[in-house]
Amino acid sequence: MTDPATSLPVGLTQAEAKARLAAEGPNELPKARRRSPLRIILDVLREPMLALLLAGGVVYLLLGNREEALILLAFAGLSVGITVVQEARTERVLEALRDLTSPRALVIRDGQRQRIAGRDVARGDVIVLAEGDRVPADAALMTAADLSADESLLTGEAVPVRKVAGAETEAGPGGEDQPMVYSGSLIVRGTGMACVTATGTASEIGRIGTSLGQLETETPHLQRQMRKLVIVFAAVGAAVSAAVVVLYGLLRGGWLEGVLAGIAVGMSMLPEEFPMVLAVFMAMGAWRISKVRVLTRRASAIETLGAASVLCTDKTGTLTENRMTIAELRLPDGTAAKTGEALPEAFRELAAAGVMASAPEPFDPMEKAFHVLSKADLRSGETLPGEGRKLVRSYPLSSALLAMSQAWEAGKGWQIAAKGAPEAVAVLCRLDQATRATLTAQVDQMAGAGLRVLGVAEASQQGSLPEDPRVFRFQFLGLVGLADPLRASVPDAVAQCRSAGIRVIMITGDYPATAQAIAGEAGLQGDRVITGPDLASLSDAELATAVKDVTIFARIMPEQKLRIVSALKAAGAVVAMTGDGVNDAPSLKAAHIGIAMGGRGTDVAREAASIVLLDDDFGSIVTTVRLGRRIYDNLRKAMSFILAVHVPIAGLALMPLLFGMPILFGPMHIAFLEMVIDPVCSLVFEAETEEDDVMTRKPRPPTEPLFSGPTIVWSLVQGALVLGVTATIFTLAPGYGLTTDQVRGMTFAALVFAIVALILVDRSRSSSILTAITRPNRALAVVLPIVGALLAVTLFWQPARDLFGFAALDPVHLAVAPLAGLTVLVVLEVIKPIWRWSVQGTKAAMASTSGKRAVH
């Protein structure tokens, strides 16, 4: 609506805006639904280990043993607390989109300009745009004066898009050939007014938010394995526990005691430490990786990145620095000069004219590049071109002439500088056909090197300034090639990815020639390029075949990025995806590991990703891969250790029932061992340094089980040895005059020393105990005194002895426990080289007979 008297838009009335907001909703995305703390606690209560702890506590209360009951309930509370803290980290993607799409907006309502919250912008509102504004909603341009918008959040393009009202412009994010500005984009130059056509979920950024809400984040492979493993152990443990209760009740007549014995056996066979240790490893890994300026939003993604076989990366802002720099200057005769050193005298006029054709205080990245080049080339006593002179008039870009000119005072006349599309500058300079053909060949050559090319010209004028810049008699000064430079760390990072067996694929919205040039600089292998239109014509099966050998995808739309990631996943690859814009968010979330650039990256990209590189350094990805592989290796050591420990615990819990001996361990002893000693000991493995081959071996297959056959065998061998040693002590000790309580205490101490021996043996699978002991590990220096203190409290402090059913031991008997641990250590160190040799032989045999693995 326009006021005839003023020719200015009146906009909506307050009543109309209020009605539309009520009917269509505010200009924001709906908040993501969150689980309440009560819901999280209810989900935690379903855990079988917690049920066993609670059941044991109830039985102890029925038997009148309040101290034992309180201890088990305390362990249960600890388990709930840890799990709730982990589960409380929920997704905030839609909230980030709400923040991004709700800037302050200047609108015209009732014929008056007024500032309102972005969420209050309604369809039909007239919004006023100026340099530096964030567009609050999708809108059709009504007027525009030299207007350019940075739409890289949506399109991935580093170069601002020129906006001309009432004329066709470049296709926008949705593919429309109409003068539009889009929600979330940034006005980098000029002014304008626009009428809002879509708000909230109906906008381009809103559609991305809707697609994000429909995507489910995949449960990490390791976490799925862990759940299956715990379920299997729980099923076996439940069956054995039920049998123990029935046999105990029938043979010994004490049904409540039988329930306690059954609970003890169930706890000994249920590896509840697995989820706890996994959480500890992931949390510690997130802390460790944060020291190299990498933020882990979902810690489980760290170990998944260690298995990544494909890394899909955007070009703009990821491989490149997302800043325009002048890479080449070329004179009309074809003479070229690269930047980086002092400019030859012949090229200084060309560079100066480019500065004078730019804004004195530039906001546009290309104009900033001209200023940076000239400042770097200033000589003693010189000032920046145009400094101290008056800019009297600007001739902006138009649909009829894709070049801008600026007139400056020059004595009694005017000096005019122009820059723009080479063909437009050729028109201004009235070049003949032969010269234009030569110019076109030079432009094509520079564009083939990945440069964005501008023409530069200058003119002088006496008298008044004309309305049309084509009246000036311009002289062509030359061409300027601008580039978005490659990050310095990228080539080395790509080389290391290749060494680690990780394919790097570039997916960009840029032109094929530019993409190929950047790919060549980065060291990406492969000459074939698939463009967006090419990809659209491919079937899913054809795309699945193409992704096996194509490393460059150019002119790709956001939804096509998602399709590429899906094709790679369907082919069996573990996909990591990097990006920084809103357009990257769906593919970041759909990939196994989403990696966002944190410096320039949008909130949406950061919230959709699993990992955020705070310094935007592509090389940090290599560090993250290294840490991910180290974490997985160490996690495997810890899990193998825990499995080995469960063998003697379960064996010592079952022995008395099978052979009619006094009950050795109750639920409290086993809870103490499993919920205190095991997790604490597992911290030692988390702190272990990486193995020597961590970045030279291929990624592990995505379906590789955490517990391979050789790992299980090695764990069982260790556990069987510890069981044999401790069972021997338990069996023979009564013959030396020890009471039942003394035997229980000595066996318990021997088991603890044997656990320490397993820690030392399992610290490294590629070196001996001597090397492992000399290898620094601060956690080990902390853990061993803690374990010793806990054991000393249970053996020497009378209240603790009474609670655990131990009795005082003579010094001779106390020496049995460390001797047992030493025996375990020596025997396993003798066996370890044999086991390592057999595992290597097995892997070699499997490698020679297996076919090609899934895409990497």
Side-chain angles (χ1 to χ4, degrees), residues 741 792-809:
D741 288 350
V793 167
T794 59
L795 292 178
F796 299 111
W797 189 39
Q798 188 61 48
R801 279 208 304 253
D802 295 340
L803 192 62
F804 279 81
F806 296 161
L809 293 169

Side-chain angles (χ1 to χ4, degrees), residues 161-423:
V161 179
R162 178 181 55 86
K163 299 292 181 179
V164 182
E168 289 189 354
T169 61
E170 301 174 34
E176 305 90 344
D177 288 328
Q178 54 181 315
M180 296 284 295
V181 287
Y182 296 94
S183 177
S185 59
L186 182 68
I187 303 300
V188 298
R189 187 184 183 94
T191 60
M193 287 189 291
C195 181
V196 174
T197 58
T199 62
T201 55
S203 65
E204 288 293 329
I205 197 173
R207 293 172 188 171
I208 294 176
T210 301
S211 68
L212 281 176
Q214 295 170 349
L215 285 174
E216 292 293 331
T217 302
E218 285 194 8
T219 302
H221 178 63
L222 181 58
Q223 195 170 329
R224 295 197 301 270
Q225 283 192 64
M226 199 67 67
R227 288 178 181 174
K228 292 179 181 178
L229 196 63
V230 172
I231 289 173
V232 170
F233 274 86
V236 175
V240 174
S241 297
V244 167
V245 173
V246 173
L247 291 174
Y248 196 103
L250 293 176
L251 299 177
R252 301 197 182 191
W255 286 97
L256 279 178
E257 289 80 359
V259 171
L260 280 178
I263 290 174
V265 171
M267 292 172 63
S268 70
M269 300 186 70
L270 180 66
E272 83 291 339
E273 311 98 330
F274 283 177
M276 183 183 294
V277 169
L278 178 62
V280 168
F281 264 65
M282 296 302 102
M284 291 294 292
W287 168 79
R288 202 174 295 281
I289 204 172
S290 69
K291 296 169 116 180
V292 294
R293 296 191 55 74
V294 178
L295 172 65
T296 308
R297 294 192 61 254
R298 283 180 285 276
S300 58
I302 299 175
E303 62 85 15
T304 311
L305 187 59
S309 55
V310 173
L311 172 58
C312 298
T313 174
D314 188 21
K315 177 186 73 67
T316 304
T318 306
L319 293 177
T320 64
E321 298 180 2
N322 195 43
R323 63 178 180 84
M324 300 303 293
T325 60
I326 295 177
E328 181 180 334
L329 300 173
R330 187 171 294 215
L331 299 178
D333 62 3
T335 305
K338 303 291 183 181
T339 59
E341 300 178 357
L343 286 177
E345 193 65 34
F347 294 87
R348 301 193 77 214
E349 183 182 6
L350 172 59
V355 174
M356 297 186 68
S358 304
E361 298 292 335
F363 196 82
D364 181 275
M366 289 187 290
E367 295 190 345
K368 285 183 178 180
F370 279 103
H371 278 252
V372 169
L373 177 65
S374 290
K375 285 179 181 178
D377 194 55
L378 286 179
R379 300 174 186 177
S380 178
E382 291 183 339
T383 60
L384 198 68
E387 190 171 329
R389 299 167 64 180
K390 182 179 179 181
L391 175 64
V392 293
R393 181 162 185 175
S394 293
Y395 297 88
L397 290 164
S398 67
S399 57
L401 183 67
L402 298 178
M404 64 169 295
S405 307
Q406 298 203 135
W408 300 78
E409 283 186 345
K412 294 183 179 180
W414 321 101
Q415 182 179 354
I416 301 93
K419 68 175 179 11
E423 61 272 20

Side-chain angles (χ1 to χ4, degrees), residues 640 710-718 761-762 828 831-832 835:
S640 176
T711 301
I712 294 175
V713 171
W714 179 235
S715 297
L716 293 178
V717 167
Q718 294 180 87
V761 170
D762 285 336
L828 289 178
I831 297 175
K832 186 161 69 172
W835 171 80

Side-chain angles (χ1 to χ4, degrees), residues 541 575 856:
V575 184
H856 21 116

Side-chain angles (χ1 to χ4, degrees), residues 767-789:
S767 59
S768 67
I769 184 65
L770 295 178
T771 305
I773 289 176
T774 56
R775 179 185 295 174
N777 189 320
R778 293 182 180 179
L780 182 64
V782 174
V783 163
L784 290 183
I786 290 176
V787 173

Side-chain angles (χ1 to χ4, degrees), residues 420 492 502 608 614 693 732 823 830:
D492 181 61
I502 302 172
L614 297 178
D693 65 343
L732 299 181
T823 301
V830 172

